[in-house]
């Protein structure tokens, strides 16, 4: 009987210790899992969501917004992409910001315990929606649908760029809003609904454009895309398409004299609105911040020319570069959680 009593006491003690271990382990894991969220809330504006960051329940956009796309299967976007989306969410707090990803499926949860730190950061912003990107569904009921089923991606030299060109047109036609490349950092809101942006005094950009839903210009652009498709030309379906389509309606405005111009029923924004640093000088973003305070006064946003960045130059904390100053001011979550915390 005495032996049984000691045995029961020992079992009770062991059970108590085990339960305590499980409890404190669970508490520790919980603290670690919400550590990033707490940190984000500490440094962020009120646009950060509460204690969870589930993926959006939307399958497709439901209203006009700001669109970003990832046409590869990449699920870990670099800091520049995250900054671009965060800056848009802050610049347009009352508008939905959509990030459509080809590699995303409904079976990939973006939760507090996931390894998708970058996506978790974006999902923590109240107006950001991370959605799957289906080419089949997006191109349906547009002139691009037949092209998509006829073209062989494996034979296309610039497939990722060309399918991205097609996606931005289909998105604006179906939903309306503003499309931006993932290397465009927003500085202040564009108040115009229908617009193209000039990259230079002779070339139209395809990195930023905005149109209302079902705008006839976008429909005509999709038709031209299919009719004049050239898989061996990088810009044929991008800047060159918008340049030649606008040229059918108007002459290139004299930006030096008039600032922004008009092209029938849409605006034509001058290069300084998004290209204060031209592509030939793109490395200036990674140069020292010297006398740059007024450089971007006329800009709605900045195109970082990431396509030119073949050396994979990165923004680094403490570098005192133009890019670091931009990150600090316009995407502080990205800066503090992906740059300042980076080992090295």
């Amino acid at each position: 009987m005495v032996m049984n009593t000691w045995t029961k006491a020992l079992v009770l003690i062991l059970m108590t210790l085990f339960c305590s271990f499980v409890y404190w382990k669970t508490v520790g894991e919980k603290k670690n899992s919400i550590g990033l969220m707490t940190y984000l809330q500490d440094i962020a504006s009120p646009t950060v969501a509460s204690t969870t960051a589930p993926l959006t329940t939307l399958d497709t956009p439901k209203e006009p917004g700001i669109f970003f796309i990832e046409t590869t299967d990449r699920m870990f976007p670099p800091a520049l992409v995250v900054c671009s989306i965060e800056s848009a969410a802050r610049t347009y707090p009352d508008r939905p910001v959509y990030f459509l990803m080809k590699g995303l499926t409904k079976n990939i949860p973006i939760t507090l315990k996931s390894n998708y730190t970058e996506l978790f950061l974006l999902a923590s912003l109240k107006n950001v929606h991370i959605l799957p990107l289906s080419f089949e569904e997006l191109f349906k009921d547009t002139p691009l649908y037949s092209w998509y089923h006829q073209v062989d991606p494996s034979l296309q030299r610039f497939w990722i760029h060309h399918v991205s060109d097609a996606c931005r047109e289909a998105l604006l036609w179906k939903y309306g809003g503003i499309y931006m490349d993932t290397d465009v950092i927003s500085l202040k809101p564009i108040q115009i609904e229908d617009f193209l942006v000039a990259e230079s005094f002779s070339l139209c950009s395809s990195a930023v454009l905005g149109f209302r839903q079902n705008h006839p210009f976008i429909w005509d652009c999709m038709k031209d895309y299919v009719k004049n498709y050239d898989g061996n030309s990088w810009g044929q379906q991008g800047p060159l398409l918008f340049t030649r389509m606008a040229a059918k309606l108007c002459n290139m405005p004299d930006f030096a004299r008039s600032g922004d111009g008009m092209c029938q029923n849409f605006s034509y924004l001058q290069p300084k609105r998004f290209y204060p640093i031209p592509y030939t000088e793109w490395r200036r973003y990674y140069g020292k911040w010297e006398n740059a305070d007024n450089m971007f006064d006329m800009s709605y946003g900045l195109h970082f020319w990431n396509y030119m960045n073949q050396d994979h130059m990165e923004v680094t904390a403490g570098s005192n570069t133009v890019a670091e100053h931009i990150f600090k001011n316009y995407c502080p979550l990205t800066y503090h959680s992906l740059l300042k915390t980076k080992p090295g």
Side-chain angles (χ1 to χ4, degrees):
M1 180 66 68
V2 174
M3 189 65 179
N4 288 340
T5 301
W6 279 106
T7 300
K8 290 180 180 180
L10 180 61
V11 170
L12 181 61
I13 293 171
L14 290 175
M15 289 181 65
T16 301
L17 291 173
F18 177 75
C19 291
S20 298
F21 170 78
V22 171
Y23 171 78
W24 288 111
K25 187 173 186 298
T26 302
V27 170
E29 289 181 347
K30 183 177 181 181
K31 287 182 177 180
N32 289 334
S33 69
I34 66 173
L36 176 59
M37 189 66 242
T38 302
Y39 177 69
L40 296 183
Q41 289 176 323
D42 286 344
I43 67 170
S45 71
T47 58
V48 175
S50 57
T51 55
T52 60
L55 274 181
T56 179
T57 57
L58 301 177
D59 293 325
T60 59
K62 298 302 180 184
E63 59 181 298
I66 316 299
F67 293 96
F68 297 88
I69 58 176
E70 174 57 67
T71 52
T72 73
D73 290 325
R74 181 172 65 178
M75 290 296 294
F76 297 92
L80 179 57
V81 174
V82 180
C83 180
S84 296
I85 299 170
E86 181 193 343
S87 69
R90 292 176 176 277
T91 302
Y92 303 90
D94 298 324
R95 301 185 67 174
V97 176
Y98 303 107
F99 184 30
L100 290 87
M101 305 182 70
K102 178 178 176 291
L104 182 64
T105 69
K106 294 181 180 179
N107 297 322
I108 299 179
I110 309 301
T111 66
L112 290 174
K113 294 184 179 180
S114 75
N115 294 321
Y116 298 108
T117 303
E118 297 86 357
L119 298 186
F120 167 52
L121 184 155
L122 291 174
S124 71
L125 296 165
K126 289 183 178 180
N127 58 331
V128 172
H129 305 273
I130 306 174
L131 284 67
L133 173 60
S134 167
F135 299 147
E136 178 81 18
E137 291 299 318
L138 180 58
F139 297 147
K140 188 180 296 183
D141 301 321
T142 77
L144 298 165
Y145 192 71
S146 60
W147 160 83
Y148 175 67
H149 280 277
Q150 292 172 6
V151 70
D152 183 350
S154 66
L155 301 179
Q156 310 306 305
R157 182 181 176 187
F158 301 106
W159 170 250
I160 296 301
H161 300 284
H162 290 167
V163 76
S164 174
D165 291 330
C167 285
R168 68 197 67 187
E169 295 177 19
L171 284 167
L172 292 182
W173 168 257
K174 286 191 167 185
Y175 306 108
I178 298 173
Y179 167 84
M180 295 185 185
D181 276 355
T182 51
D183 60 346
V184 174
I185 297 179
S186 297
L187 306 184
K188 55 189 176 186
I190 305 171
Q191 305 295 345
I192 306 166
E193 285 191 293
D194 304 315
F195 66 89
L196 291 175
V197 178
E199 179 178 313
S200 67
F201 287 165
S202 61
L203 186 65
C204 183
S205 168
S206 62
V208 184
L209 63 154
F211 284 90
R212 280 173 286 189
Q213 184 181 35
N214 296 343
H215 196 288
F217 178 76
I218 295 298
W219 183 264
D220 290 341
C221 286
M222 290 189 290
K223 289 169 61 178
D224 182 274
Y225 183 107
V226 176
K227 179 181 179 181
N228 296 304
Y229 180 76
D230 182 356
N232 293 316
S233 171
W234 177 81
Q236 173 70 4
Q237 285 69 237
L240 296 180
L241 182 151
F242 292 109
T243 301
R244 65 177 176 265
M245 291 302 295
K248 293 180 180 181
L249 304 176
C250 63
N251 295 323
M252 181 70 76
D254 184 355
F255 298 117
R257 292 185 58 188
S258 61
D260 297 329
M262 288 296 297
C263 191
Q264 290 197 4
N265 62 351
F266 59 83
S267 297
Y268 213 143
L269 305 185
Q270 66 161 292
K272 287 186 178 181
R273 296 302 189 186
F274 283 92
Y275 298 95
I277 295 179
Y279 82 95
T280 54
E281 302 174 25
W282 67 271
R283 291 178 183 273
R284 288 173 60 188
Y285 282 118
Y286 300 92
K288 296 298 181 183
W289 178 275
E290 297 175 353
N291 301 318
D293 293 326
N294 301 319
M295 186 187 304
F296 309 127
D297 285 352
M298 295 182 63
S299 302
Y300 293 120
L302 305 175
H303 186 259
F304 265 56
W305 302 107
N306 198 51
Y307 181 71
M308 301 291 295
N309 190 2
Q310 301 301 313
D311 295 333
H312 305 290
M313 298 177 68
E314 295 184 352
V315 184
T316 56
S319 59
N320 192 33
T321 60
V322 173
E324 187 199 9
H325 279 258
I326 296 299
F327 270 55
K328 277 184 178 180
N329 287 309
Y330 297 98
C331 56
L333 297 187
T334 303
Y335 179 78
H336 287 279
S337 61
L338 299 185
L339 298 187
K340 289 197 71 174
T341 60
K342 184 183 294 185

